Each structure stands twice: as C-alpha cells, then as structure tokens.
Amino acid sequence: DGGITQSPKYLFRKEGQNVTLSCEQNLNHDAMYWYRQDPGQGLRLIYYSQIVNDFQKGDIAEGYSVSREKKESFPLTVTSAQKNPTAFYLCASSIVGLAGWEQFFGPGTRLTVL
Amino acid sequence: DQQVKQNSPSLSVQEGRISILNCDYTNSMFDYFLWYKKYPAEGPTFLISISSIKDKNEDGRFTVFLNKSAKHLSLHIVPSQPGDSAVYFCAASERKGSQGNLIFGKGTKLSVKP
C-alpha cells in the first residue's frame, strides 16, 4: 500500500522539551512538506524539501527544524523555542513537475504541550 | 495578507440539494487551483483541481468553476450527501517558477443534513 504515515497520532510533551514528529512516504515522491493547522485556520507551511539533503523554510519556520537524509523520510522537530506548539501537524508529499501539483497528506499528529 | 480567501466559515445544505463553496484569490500569478476535503483529526484528501487554462472541470458529483477575471473559483457538489459533511479547503499555486507550494484558504465547514 502506497501512502504517507505519520506517527504517533497523538503526542503529549511537557513545556520546554523538544519533540520529533515522524513522516514517512513510500510514494517515491521527491517533495515533502510540513504544515500546521490551528482551529479556524488554514494549513500553514512550516518547512518543505524538494530533494534529499535540501530543505527550505516556509511561512512559519521559527521554532522548528527538519532534516531530509532519505527520500522517504522528513522528520520535524518542534523545539522549545516554538511559543505555541500545541497544534495538529500534517505532512505531505508530491511529485515535482508541471503535470500537477497535488499534494498527498498523511493522517496527521496532534501535539499537545502541557 | 491572505492570498486565498474562503469567506464563508460554514455552510449548511439539505441532502440532495446543491452545495456551492466559494474561494477568492488575489495573486494573478496563480495558475493551478485545488480543492481538498478534510474530516476531523485526519489529513486532507485531494478532491479536484483546475488549471488556469480551463474554466470548468468536472468529476462525478464535483465540479469546479474558475473565473479568472474575477479571481474567483467555486466548487459545486450535486447532489449533496451526508458523507460530504467535512471542511473543504481551497488551495492555489503558481506552478511556473515556483516550487509547487500550495497556498491554502482557511476552509469552509460543510454540513449536509439528511
């Protein structure tokens, strides 16, 4: 089954702790993305990566870090510098090319910082 | 400044009737538009898209209309079914010269009543 997996589904952390969210895809997509969704808000782009070992900041990158050591994996670390980390985090991937820009999303991780 | 706007946070429709969800954009460089459907605590799923060279695209019960001069697009669902109840996000991208990044609206929550 091809798709995107995010783990865990729910995550609880104490304030001041760093936490890493997992995202894996077996769609052979080059590009991967991290979004954050807050109540009543759209999806806001945190980081994206078009190719292995390269990534770019999105609109709200402060307090987050990523790595892209493998094509299949794009983990997101929420650091203690992120002021409002409690949110629903979504990972997505896409084929890069003019045929279409559809992004395919994982099921999301709900992070709650206590 | 929001480049993609969904001005109706919610919409309620009777089963069997038409649902019309609206989306406005400000960036005239956008040339590809997408609609996603999202259930609570799940990732968005791609629904339908349209290129700026077209003014209509149809897929089963779903039709997207694009009015470039008005910078407006709409999603029509006919007939509406209770299972269509979800949040619908409009997204836009500038495929040429961009890196495939999607700009999302804040979403419209559709409720289809039996």
Side-chain angles (χ1 to χ4, degrees):
Chain A
D1 254 87
I4 302 175
T5 56
Q6 290 185 244
S7 60
K9 180 72 173 174
Y10 299 95
L11 192 54
F12 296 88
R13 279 295 181 270
K14 291 183 179 179
E15 193 173 343
Q17 289 182 333
N18 290 359
V19 59
T20 297
L21 281 59
S22 166
C23 177
E24 305 278 331
Q25 56 98 0
N26 60 5
L27 300 167
N28 200 31
H29 286 172
D30 291 303
M32 297 186 74
Y33 310 81
W34 273 106
Y35 293 90
R36 167 183 173 140
Q37 186 193 13
D38 295 283
Q41 299 291 320
L43 280 62
R44 294 186 290 168
L45 183 64
I46 304 172
Y47 266 98
Y48 62 99
S49 168
Q50 301 288 311
I51 195 170
V52 174
N53 291 324
D54 188 44
F55 47 82
Q56 308 294 330
K57 291 182 179 180
D59 300 319
I60 54 166
E62 186 175 350
Y64 299 98
S65 66
V66 293
S67 63
R68 186 86 187 276
E69 296 176 3
K70 299 186 300 182
K71 188 175 184 179
E72 303 79 19
S73 179
F74 191 41
L76 173 75
T77 297
V78 184
T79 75
S80 56
Q82 167 49 232
K83 297 192 185 311
N84 296 297
T86 295
F88 189 54
Y89 290 88
L90 288 157
C91 179
S93 70
S94 71
I95 299 170
V96 178
L98 287 179
W101 292 114
E102 288 85 359
Q103 292 181 13
F104 298 87
F105 286 82
T109 292
R110 167 75 61 187
L111 172 65
T112 302
V113 175
L114 307 170
Chain B
D1 183 34
Q2 274 189 273
Q3 296 187 70
V4 178
K5 300 178 185 178
Q6 293 177 257
N7 292 319
S8 298
S10 63
L11 174 67
S12 184
V13 170
Q14 206 67 31
E15 181 179 6
R17 307 293 289 266
I18 184 171
S19 295
I20 301 177
L21 297 98
N22 293 304
C23 179
D24 298 294
Y25 61 96
T26 57
N27 187 343
S28 57
M29 299 302 291
F30 286 150
D31 57 4
Y32 196 66
F33 305 89
L34 307 90
W35 285 94
Y36 282 84
K37 175 181 179 179
K38 185 182 180 301
Y39 293 117
E42 293 185 10
T45 54
F46 169 72
L47 204 53
I48 193 170
S49 63
I50 188 167
S51 164
S52 60
I53 62 172
K54 295 185 176 182
D55 54 20
K56 176 183 174 181
N57 189 26
E58 193 171 351
D59 183 2
R61 295 186 297 114
F62 302 93
T63 303
V64 56
F65 295 92
L66 176 62
N67 182 335
K68 289 188 292 294
S69 61
K71 294 193 181 68
H72 176 84
L73 65 154
S74 60
L75 175 68
H76 293 210
I77 307 173
V78 183
S80 301
Q81 299 173 354
D84 295 330
S85 297
V87 176
Y88 289 79
F89 289 99
C90 170
S93 73
E94 179 191 343
R95 289 190 296 181
K96 295 179 182 178
S98 81
Q99 297 188 341
N101 292 350
L102 300 180
I103 309 298
F104 286 85
K106 291 189 176 184
T108 296
K109 183 176 182 179
L110 174 65
S111 299
V112 180
K113 300 187 187 303

